[in-house]
Amino acid sequence: MSVECHGRLFRISVIQWIVWGLLLCGCMSAVAADRLVVYSVNYPLAYFAERIGGGHVEVHFPAPAAVDPAFWMPDADTVAGYQGADLILLNGAGYAKWIERVSLPRRKLVDTSRGLAGSYITVTEGVTHQHGPDGDHAHAGTAFTTWLDFNQAAQQAGEIAAALSRQRPERAAAFNENLQRLQEELLQLDSRMQALAAAQPGLPLLASHPVYQYMARRYGLQLRSVTWEPEVQPDDSSWRELQSMLVRQASHWMLWEGNPRMETRKGLERLGVQTVLFRPAMNRPATGDFMTVMRANIEALTVAFDAPD
Amino acid sequence: MDSLYVAWRYVTWNRGKTLVLIASITLVAFLPLALQTLLNESERQLRTRALDTPLLLGAAGSALDLVMSSLYFDDEVPARIDMRAPAVIDESGLAYPLPLYVRFMARGAPIVGTTLDYFDFRGLQLAQGRLFGLLGEAVIGAEVSMRLGIGVGDSLVSSPDNLFDIAGVYPLKMTVAGVLADSHSPDDRAVFVDVKTAWVIEGLGHGHQDLARTADSSVILRQDAGTVTANARLVQYTEITPENIDSFHFHGSAADYPLTALLVVPDDDKAAARLRGRFIDDSRYQLVRPNTVIDGLMESIFRIKQVIDAVIVIVAIATLLTIVLVFALSLRIRREELETIFRIGCSRMTTVRLLAAEILIIVTVSAVLCAGLLWLIHINSAALVQGLILR
């Protein structure tokens, strides 16, 4: 074969690769254009949307890692991102008060706990406190960590799947298949929690923060809360409040949203209280995902329920 | 040609008489045609807006008030409904609702409290800036921007609800986030805000210093274990800024917050019919088709127009008789002049041609003037109807 013939073949091959490349780019951009843009107000909902939507959705959860998404206030650019989404996943139950202060397109809002509205837990006490870089806040109103009742979390996931299917009916089968898998995993967590709580019914527990109401109701936990922050050393009055709670009913375990300071941990140990890390996963975890965090939470709680009373 | 020249010289010499005749003929021709043009345009605008709005839900009462307030932002405020109404429409699964709260004004422009979906529904485009994003932001219509000379970044203050109510709601200073492109519709002369901002203007939501942490004890009326009650000295914020937005909150049940109407967009005609059936016997709400209401209004307008037409016909007849009289008297005054024309050898037909040429010149000038005025009316009819009729 002549040199000229080789050169011609080489040119044809290059042109073929360019054509294939362009076709591939075209297909990829078509797929990207077809993807639903979903914004979420907290991490659990973002995780559910990612699991259900798979490659057909582009999930955004723009809250910075250091903030509590429940008490965050997004800036105008972030609000514009929410406004431009195809769907905006709300937790409902009064979660994310910032929604009251911004304008979001009503048709795109999906209240994932809409079906649970009749069973919301009303919180009457509300001590104003501060954590992270956000402003002060109180928990009076409606308890909002609905997903810590894993049965409720499964229902919220169902709402997300329904909303995605309404937007993309042609993908409904895939969404439902993914939903079933997710709900199975959530209900496994639910079963494990129920089994755990059944091991020592009525085991008195403490919570460092009033965020475990739905979990306590679902699994029959005897839980009393203080309003302590992991990164803040409790003051004298907080210790006195805890001591009086312990006098009324002894408890050896306190659930924490994050690892408490060493001084706090030692102070608790002096009162005979051990710490259990049970993270609500409101924000995206540094490692792992919602499922790994919840499995770790249940493992940590197992220690309390397996221990002799 | 000579007759036209002589006639032209005559009408230019008798300017006063000629001008009066031209003005009379022009007005008699122009008035009914201009009225018809404006009525056609107003009918087109009313019907277009009404046809673009499938259904309106409001409190039981005047359907016309409901339509005029919700579609054309008329001053008359219809009876209010509350936020339970959108839930009723949502639960039907047949349509989606767009809330409207049209009650307040800002420098002569109606403030329309709604949601972002309204802009998509009406197909409104932005000429500058962005849509409202935060509480207290506004998007203004093109005419408001031009009339008040304000644009993105400027402020607009809501007008007090009642000048004599000194304990009433505070005016709210709103920031203009965007300006809409001209749409030749009532949207051009409105100020759009989020419905929550309208509720802040109403006083249902407000921001103020944190009572739990304030050092100024003079603003506290009573303090219990979990409740702090402020007195009237507590100053509420009259502008929502990034610094104070966190302090803004709403009181009472969200379900009780007011609306003036809901724009209801059904999935299809069948859904619209089913939805209308559900509200036929409802004592709280009325669900109306704006097109039907506007049909009724147009019938009334056309009845009035028929009366006006009759008046114009009578005026036209009187004007024509006056013109005939003017010419008859003119002939009598010009008897000697016409006699001279005859004596110098011109025929009687020449005299008739001269008079016909004079009439032709006057009628032609009137026709040109009338056509010019009608053209002006035609090209400005949309704005004139907006400014004069649908205001």
Side-chain angles (χ1 to χ4, degrees):
Chain A
M1 201 177 280
S2 68
V3 174
E4 192 185 335
C5 195
H6 272 295
R8 191 172 292 160
L9 279 173
F10 177 73
R11 280 198 295 276
I12 290 169
S13 164
V14 167
I15 290 167
Q16 273 183 335
W17 277 109
I18 290 170
V19 169
W20 280 115
L22 287 172
L23 281 172
L24 191 65
C25 286
C27 289
M28 284 171 71
S29 61
V31 168
D34 189 46
R35 291 171 82 188
L36 276 172
V37 177
V38 177
Y39 269 67
S40 170
V41 296
N42 64 21
Y43 170 66
L45 299 182
Y47 173 78
F48 297 163
E50 284 165 359
R51 286 283 308 266
I52 297 164
H56 304 302
V57 299
E58 185 184 316
V59 181
H60 295 262
F61 170 52
V67 306
D68 180 346
F71 301 100
W72 172 57
M73 180 68 210
D75 59 21
D77 288 341
T78 310
V79 172
Y82 275 94
Q83 289 178 341
D86 294 311
L87 286 175
I88 302 165
L89 304 179
L90 306 181
N91 188 73
Y95 188 90
K97 284 281 180 195
W98 61 267
I99 292 164
E100 283 184 0
R101 302 177 193 121
V102 304
S103 305
L104 297 175
R106 193 176 182 277
R107 286 193 72 192
K108 296 176 182 175
L109 301 179
V110 181
D111 182 353
T112 58
S113 68
R114 193 174 53 127
L116 312 169
S119 56
Y120 284 156
I121 296 173
T122 304
V123 181
T124 48
E125 60 195 46
V127 178
T128 302
H129 57 284
Q130 180 177 9
H131 50 89
D134 304 321
D136 300 343
H137 67 266
H139 290 268
T142 307
F144 52 65
T145 43
T146 49
W147 62 92
L148 291 182
D149 168 343
F150 297 114
N151 187 51
Q152 290 189 164
Q155 291 180 54
Q156 289 184 272
E159 289 286 343
I160 294 171
L164 293 176
S165 299
R166 278 195 297 274
Q167 289 280 328
R168 291 281 187 275
E170 69 278 10
R171 309 258 186 234
F175 294 150
N176 282 332
E177 199 176 312
N178 293 340
L179 171 69
Q180 274 184 357
R181 253 182 254 131
L182 174 64
Q183 284 183 327
E184 275 170 24
E185 289 180 40
L186 288 168
L187 294 176
Q188 277 172 11
L189 294 178
D190 187 60
S191 301
R192 284 187 65 190
M193 278 298 291
Q194 282 183 329
L196 200 63
Q200 279 200 57
L203 176 72
L205 296 169
L206 295 165
S208 66
H209 218 76
V211 291
Y212 302 104
Q213 299 93 335
Y214 293 103
M215 184 173 94
R217 181 177 70 183
R218 170 74 181 169
Y219 307 112
L221 305 181
Q222 198 177 338
L223 197 71
R224 290 168 300 157
S225 296
V226 288
T227 313
W228 291 9
E229 299 297 340
E231 67 274 16
V232 179
Q233 176 69 18
D235 57 18
D236 289 345
S237 69
S238 301
W239 284 112
R240 280 197 298 275
E241 182 195 4
L242 178 65
Q243 282 168 335
S244 66
M245 283 171 78
L246 290 172
V247 167
R248 285 197 297 275
Q249 186 177 38
S251 179
H252 302 299
W253 303 96
M254 181 184 268
L255 274 56
W256 282 83
E257 293 175 276
N259 281 315
R261 289 161 64 107
M262 188 53 76
E263 299 93 318
T264 311
R265 191 190 293 265
K266 283 180 178 167
L268 286 170
E269 282 171 2
R270 278 196 292 277
L271 294 172
V273 178
Q274 302 294 315
T275 58
V276 175
L277 184 62
F278 199 106
R279 291 187 290 164
M282 292 190 202
N283 213 326
R284 197 177 286 278
T287 56
D289 59 26
F290 179 83
M291 284 297 172
T292 56
V293 169
M294 291 304 150
R295 285 181 191 126
N297 286 340
I298 294 172
E299 286 302 318
L301 200 57
T302 307
V303 177
F305 278 94
D306 283 354
D309 190 13
Chain B
M1 202 64 201
D2 291 343
S3 305
L4 269 177
Y5 176 74
V6 174
W8 174 251
R9 299 297 302 174
Y10 177 81
V11 295
T12 52
W13 179 258
N14 295 284
R15 286 190 200 96
K17 186 187 94 177
T18 307
L19 285 175
V20 169
L21 285 171
I22 288 172
S24 305
I25 294 168
T26 304
L27 280 175
V28 164
F30 168 74
L31 278 178
L33 293 173
L35 190 63
Q36 188 62 51
T37 305
L38 289 177
L39 280 175
N40 287 346
E41 176 60 22
S42 59
E43 184 186 6
R44 187 193 67 76
Q45 288 192 20
L46 281 167
R47 283 200 193 281
T48 305
R49 189 85 167 167
L51 283 168
D52 288 346
T53 312
L55 294 169
L56 264 181
L57 183 87
S62 164
L64 186 60
D65 280 355
L66 176 67
V67 171
M68 295 308 285
S69 163
S70 310
L71 269 61
Y72 312 104
F73 313 135
D74 192 62
D75 295 342
E76 200 66 44
V77 181
R80 282 176 247 180
I81 53 175
D82 59 36
M83 280 299 285
R84 289 176 187 89
V88 171
I89 300 297
D90 281 334
E91 282 160 17
S92 75
L94 298 169
Y96 70 85
L98 299 176
L100 285 175
Y101 193 40
V102 189
R103 183 190 153 189
F104 302 103
M105 305 285 283
R107 296 180 66 185
I111 296 174
V112 179
T114 184
T115 63
L116 293 170
D117 311 281
Y118 183 86
F119 300 99
D120 283 339
F121 173 71
R122 290 275 183 230
L124 298 172
Q125 300 293 320
L126 280 166
Q128 295 172 40
R130 55 171 175 78
L131 296 177
F132 44 74
L134 303 176
L135 203 64
E137 289 184 338
V139 170
I140 58 175
E143 193 188 311
V144 176
S145 172
M146 199 186 297
R147 181 169 63 84
L148 301 179
I150 56 174
V152 174
D154 293 330
S155 299
L156 190 64
V157 181
S158 66
S159 309
D161 195 21
N162 183 346
L163 279 176
F164 304 103
D165 181 11
I166 54 171
V169 297
Y170 290 98
L172 183 72
K173 189 176 177 184
M174 299 170 285
T175 307
V176 177
V179 178
L180 294 174
D182 204 337
S183 64
H184 296 295
S185 74
D187 298 322
D188 291 345
R189 55 185 181 80
V191 173
F192 293 93
V193 296
D194 191 287
V195 69
K196 294 189 287 273
T197 302
W199 292 332
V200 169
I201 296 171
E202 173 126 350
L204 295 169
H206 60 190
H208 51 73
Q209 64 200 98
D210 186 353
L211 287 172
R213 294 177 181 274
T214 183
D216 182 7
S217 58
S218 68
V219 300
I220 295 173
L221 184 68
R222 194 173 58 246
Q223 189 157 16
D224 303 329
T227 314
V228 184
T229 309
N231 58 33
R233 281 194 56 151
L234 180 75
V235 177
Q236 294 176 21
Y237 300 125
T238 54
E239 183 181 5
I240 302 171
T241 63
E243 289 73 37
N244 69 22
I245 192 167
D246 283 341
S247 76
F248 274 80
H249 54 277
F250 292 87
H251 289 276
S253 165
D256 294 330
Y257 294 164
L259 297 172
T260 48
L262 278 186
L263 267 164
V264 179
V265 187
D267 297 340
D268 49 40
D269 290 345
K270 193 177 167 188
R274 287 175 64 193
L275 208 52
R276 289 182 66 211
R278 292 188 187 185
F279 285 93
I280 280 178
D281 294 325
D282 199 302
S283 57
R284 296 165 300 162
Y285 302 118
Q286 58 173 330
L287 186 68
V288 300
R289 286 175 61 202
N291 193 30
T292 312
V293 177
I294 292 301
D295 277 345
L297 177 68
M298 292 312 296
E299 276 174 26
S300 304
I301 288 175
F302 280 112
R303 272 199 296 275
I304 295 167
K305 189 193 170 271
Q306 281 169 359
V307 174
I308 294 171
D309 282 347
V311 171
I312 286 173
V313 167
I314 293 165
V315 171
I317 290 167
T319 309
L320 281 173
L321 289 174
T322 310
I323 289 166
V324 169
L325 183 68
V326 167
F327 275 102
L329 290 172
S330 171
L331 285 177
R332 187 168 292 179
I333 294 165
R334 292 169 66 189
R335 182 178 289 167
E336 285 182 14
E337 176 197 335
L338 296 173
E339 196 64 31
T340 307
I341 291 170
F342 180 66
R343 281 183 188 157
I344 61 175
C346 294
S347 66
R348 292 280 179 202
M349 269 314 288
T350 306
T351 314
V352 172
R353 276 207 305 274
L354 274 174
L355 289 172
E358 284 170 24
I359 292 168
L360 181 71
I361 288 168
I362 288 167
V363 169
T364 306
V365 172
S366 298
V368 169
L369 269 176
C370 184
L373 287 171
L374 282 174
W375 179 73
L376 282 175
I377 291 287
H378 178 71
I379 59 170
N380 293 302
S381 59
L384 282 168
V385 165
Q386 282 298 314
L388 299 173
I389 299 176
L390 299 183
R391 180 165 288 279

